[in-house]
Structures are given as C-alpha cells and as structure tokens.
Amino acid sequence: MPLEDTASTINVIDYNFGLSRQKTSNRNSGVPLHFFLPTSPDSAPFHYRPSFHFPASNHSLNVIRPFTLAHGTTTLGFIFQGGVIAAADTRASAGGLVACPAVHKITPIHSHLVVTSSGSGADCMLWERILAREIRLYQLRHRQRLSIRGAAKLLSFMLHPFKGTDVCVALTLCGWDKEAGNTGCLIYVCSDGTRLQGDVFSVGSGSPYAYGVLDRGLRWSLSRDEAISLAREAVFRATHRDAYSGNNVDLFHITAQVHQV
C-alpha cells in the first residue's frame, strides 16, 4: 500500500519529542495519515530548504571518549519455503570491551515482523521503538497493518535526513507480507537511507564468515529444522572468527506469526 496520500491529514513532527505542527485537509473523511518525520540538528524545517550549503556539524568532535567505540556483531536473515529465519549473536562490544554478553539483537516489532539490529546500540533501540510506534499508529488509523515493504520505505525515509551524521543503524526487517501474496519478506535498511530487498542478508563484522556457511547450505527446499540448524551454525561459526561476536545465538522463525526458537 503506498505511503503517499495527498488527501489525508498530514502531521509533520520535528525531532523534538512532543511539539508538532499540523497541516489539515477536509478531504478523505478526516482520516489522518500521521508519520514521524525527524530532522537532523543541522537541517532546515521540512517546508524550507535554502539553496546555500550549511557546513557539517562538528559537535561530535567535542565529545571526549575514553576509547574508540568499535562496533561489531553478527546478524542474519534468510527466506526458505517454510517462512523466514532471523538469527543473531548476543554480545555487545565497546572497543575491546565485552559490554554485555546477553543483548537481544532481534526485536519483535509486530505480530508479523521482527528486526535484526547492527550498529550503535542506543541508535538501534531508538529507531526500533520509533518504527514500532509508527506501524501501530498506522494500524489504528487505517484498520489494516502496514506492509513490510511499506514499513521499510517509511524507515528509510525517516533515516535519510541523518545521512553523514554519527547515527549508526543497520536494520534487517524480517517479516511475513500478506500484501505480497502471503510470503516471507526480507529488507535491509541502513542509516544513510539505503533500502535493499533480497532473499538472504547478513550484517555486521562477522557477516563474511556467516555468508560462507549460508552460501554452502542455503536452499529453498530446507525444512524448518534444517533452516534453524543452518542459521545457528552460521552465527556460531562467525563467533569463532570475529572477536566482536559471541556468547549465545538468538533465533526467530517468522510465518504469519512470529515464533522464537
């Protein structure tokens, strides 16, 4: 279902967590279409784009960090005849420090959708909550859920203003799309606005090793148990070669409903 609807009430909310300005229309029986449109600290308001160039902000250079925060993880998702499998390790790292051994990098967003996250932990948690909120609001207002492709397009549109900033988010949407003919759907969205759809994705510092296992064993005709075993092995092998991945393996099987394995 297209995201654009010029005959609806549009609420444009700046990135101020509360204050909003509303543009209204008397058409479409007053049914609102409300999407969160964040702006970066240096961007102009949504309705005004000057022709001259603003210099990039260097506010991040003023933050003194005790050590370099190198990010690392291993997440993956793939489609097979029985649905979609999502898997990830559970190690959160900060440079050479294992900050937490039991982080959940796969987040259920809706009854038909989970998201695997890679990048800055704080950024990923924020944007997952924003996406979950917008999907829920869409369903409440339109009495139908937003498709996986629609959710990915919305997320990409919201992230694009932050291109070139310190925002570090790489999310893979793993879901079941009734609008596309009751089939699995896998879409990768990055913090620069990149949006890619495919049958298999692995993201993070351990992804090259995970791809090696997936390329060898992945096929459409896998059974559910075989697909779960393949995903578990791919993440497990990656944790042995990638220092920033490790500890446990989280697994989800997505059909018309989300099932944690």
Side-chain angles (χ1 to χ4, degrees), residues 69 71-72 117-127 166-171:
L69 295 180
H71 306 296
S117 57
S118 177
S120 169
D123 291 340
C124 289
M125 285 188 285
L126 171 64
W127 285 101
D166 287 338
V167 174
C168 182
V169 176
L171 304 179

Side-chain angles (χ1 to χ4, degrees), residues 67-68 70 93-99 244:
F67 47 80
T68 303
S93 56
L97 171 70
V98 178
Y244 298 106

Side-chain angles (χ1 to χ4, degrees), residues 188-208:
Y188 166 79
V189 180
C190 189
S191 50
D192 62 0
T194 300
R195 176 167 51 100
L196 303 172
Q197 183 171 352
D199 294 331
V200 55
F201 285 108
S202 183
V203 184
S205 54
S207 61

Side-chain angles (χ1 to χ4, degrees), residues 35-47:
F35 286 135
F36 178 71
L37 303 177
T39 56
S40 61
D42 301 307
S43 65
F46 184 75
H47 63 277

Side-chain angles (χ1 to χ4, degrees), residues 248-260:
N248 302 315
V249 180
D250 282 342
L251 276 163
F252 280 80
H253 178 215
I254 304 99
T255 55
Q257 295 290 326
V258 174
H259 307 280
Q260 185 170 12

Side-chain angles (χ1 to χ4, degrees), residues 6 9 24 26 28 36 77 91 97 99 117 125 144 158 193 204 250:
T6 57
T9 298
T24 60
N26 294 325
N28 200 31
F36 178 71
R91 174 176 293 178
L97 171 70
S117 57
M125 285 188 285
Q144 62 180 346
M158 292 190 297
D250 282 342

Side-chain angles (χ1 to χ4, degrees), residues 2-158:
L3 296 177
E4 296 82 3
D5 187 354
T6 57
S8 303
T9 298
I10 305 297
N11 290 299
V12 180
I13 302 180
D14 286 335
Y15 201 53
N16 55 15
F17 297 97
L19 300 179
S20 64
R21 58 185 186 275
Q22 186 177 40
K23 297 182 180 180
T24 60
S25 171
N26 294 325
R27 301 168 61 188
N28 200 31
S29 302
V31 178
L33 180 64
H34 181 136
F35 286 135
F36 178 71
L37 303 177
T39 56
S40 61
D42 301 307
S43 65
F46 184 75
H47 63 277
Y48 173 66
R49 297 291 182 186
S51 57
F52 54 88
H53 175 69
F54 282 107
S57 172
N58 62 349
H59 67 278
S60 61
L61 300 179
N62 298 326
V63 178
I64 301 176
R65 299 187 177 99
F67 47 80
T68 303
L69 295 180
H71 306 296
T73 187
T74 301
T75 69
L76 63 86
F78 62 82
I79 301 174
F80 70 111
Q81 57 86 21
V84 182
I85 293 291
D89 73 300
T90 62
R91 174 176 293 178
S93 56
L97 171 70
V98 178
C100 181
V103 170
H104 297 294
K105 301 179 183 179
I106 307 178
T107 306
I109 299 296
H110 203 272
S111 62
H112 67 303
L113 172 65
V114 301
V115 170
T116 69
S117 57
S118 177
S120 169
D123 291 340
C124 289
M125 285 188 285
L126 171 64
W127 285 101
E128 287 168 355
R129 293 181 66 181
I130 292 173
L131 179 62
R133 183 191 69 186
E134 294 303 320
I135 291 176
R136 180 58 177 157
L137 287 173
Y138 184 95
Q139 184 176 26
L140 289 173
R141 290 189 171 101
H142 298 274
R143 293 183 175 86
Q144 62 180 346
R145 68 189 190 189
L146 187 61
S147 68
I148 306 300
R149 287 180 293 182
K153 184 177 181 181
L154 173 62
L155 179 61
S156 173
F157 180 68
M158 292 190 297

